[in-house]
Amino acid sequence: MDPGFWRSVCYAVVFLGAALVVTGSIGTYYFTARMEAVAPFRQSVKTATAVLEIAVESDAKINTEYLDKGATADFSREGEILLRMSSVSSSARQSGSGRVIYGAKLGMNAADAGLGTPVQALKTADTVRVFFQKMPLESKVLTGRLSVTINGEVLVEIDIPSQEVKDGLVAARGIFGAFSHFQ
């Protein structure tokens, strides 16, 4: 039995073991980082809050808070509501450029159907519908923005396009791009 041969075998085992440790460490670091990045999107919806602003064409001289007239916003897929947020109050103010800006801070109701569904499920939404109780039913929407925070971590930003509204219901369709960062 040649001791030189066995010493060479031991060196090979040590180098192979070191290579496996380095590979395992790098892999663990990389895949842990990937799992942490996708974790917020795999959680169940527990909370959802939003800030909503809609600008409509109007010369009305207004600057008020409606403490008992709120707003709603919902995500839907083919008419089925996935998540609804609402508020009891809203505001309206003349911006000085022939537009009134309606605003509200929305929250998800604890009995909402979206509670407990995976955050990932929202990326199947195709439409967001918005309604302000005090906004005139027939309005010309110039622009708008809905910024939703889900579980305090996941942000979804949706631009509301200009449109003529006849029933007070403002819609943004084809919102798939708002979920492009979902992993």
Side-chain angles (χ1 to χ4, degrees):
M1 190 144 64
D2 181 20
F5 170 76
W6 288 109
R7 185 181 70 178
S8 297
V9 168
C10 289
Y11 279 140
V13 168
V14 166
F15 288 128
L16 180 62
L20 288 173
V21 166
V22 168
T23 303
S25 298
I26 291 171
T28 301
Y29 172 78
Y30 173 76
F31 289 112
T32 299
R34 293 290 304 145
M35 286 184 66
E36 287 175 359
V38 300
F41 303 100
R42 295 184 187 256
Q43 294 177 0
S44 297
V45 174
K46 296 174 191 86
T47 63
T49 58
V51 175
L52 171 63
E53 280 195 344
I54 300 283
V56 296
E57 187 176 83
S58 175
D59 290 324
K61 304 293 182 221
I62 191 167
N63 185 10
T64 189
E65 293 285 326
Y66 301 108
L67 298 178
D68 61 344
K69 301 292 182 190
T72 61
D74 59 36
F75 288 92
S76 62
R77 175 186 58 234
E78 298 173 3
E80 175 191 350
I81 295 175
L82 302 174
L83 177 69
R84 174 173 280 157
M85 296 162 290
S86 61
S87 71
V88 211
S89 62
S90 63
S91 64
R93 63 180 164 78
Q94 175 59 246
S95 70
S97 57
R99 59 175 62 188
V100 172
I101 299 174
Y102 290 89
K105 292 184 177 158
L106 312 169
M108 183 178 79
N109 186 313
D112 189 88
L115 186 69
T117 61
V119 173
Q120 281 281 22
L122 290 178
K123 75 184 212 181
T124 64
D126 57 9
T127 305
V128 165
R129 294 179 300 186
V130 172
F131 180 78
F132 278 94
Q133 289 179 333
K134 289 304 281 185
M135 189 174 85
L137 293 179
E138 293 188 16
S139 300
K140 180 177 182 184
V141 173
L142 301 172
T143 186
R145 186 151 187 95
L146 176 66
S147 299
V148 182
T149 305
I150 301 165
N151 294 342
E153 293 183 79
V154 179
L155 181 64
V156 178
E157 300 272 349
I158 297 173
D159 290 320
I160 311 285
S162 61
Q163 56 195 278
E164 293 286 335
V165 178
K166 301 290 183 208
D167 56 0
L169 194 61
V170 180
R173 293 177 176 76
I175 59 170
F176 304 110
F179 306 104
S180 61
H181 65 287
F182 275 37
Q183 298 182 9

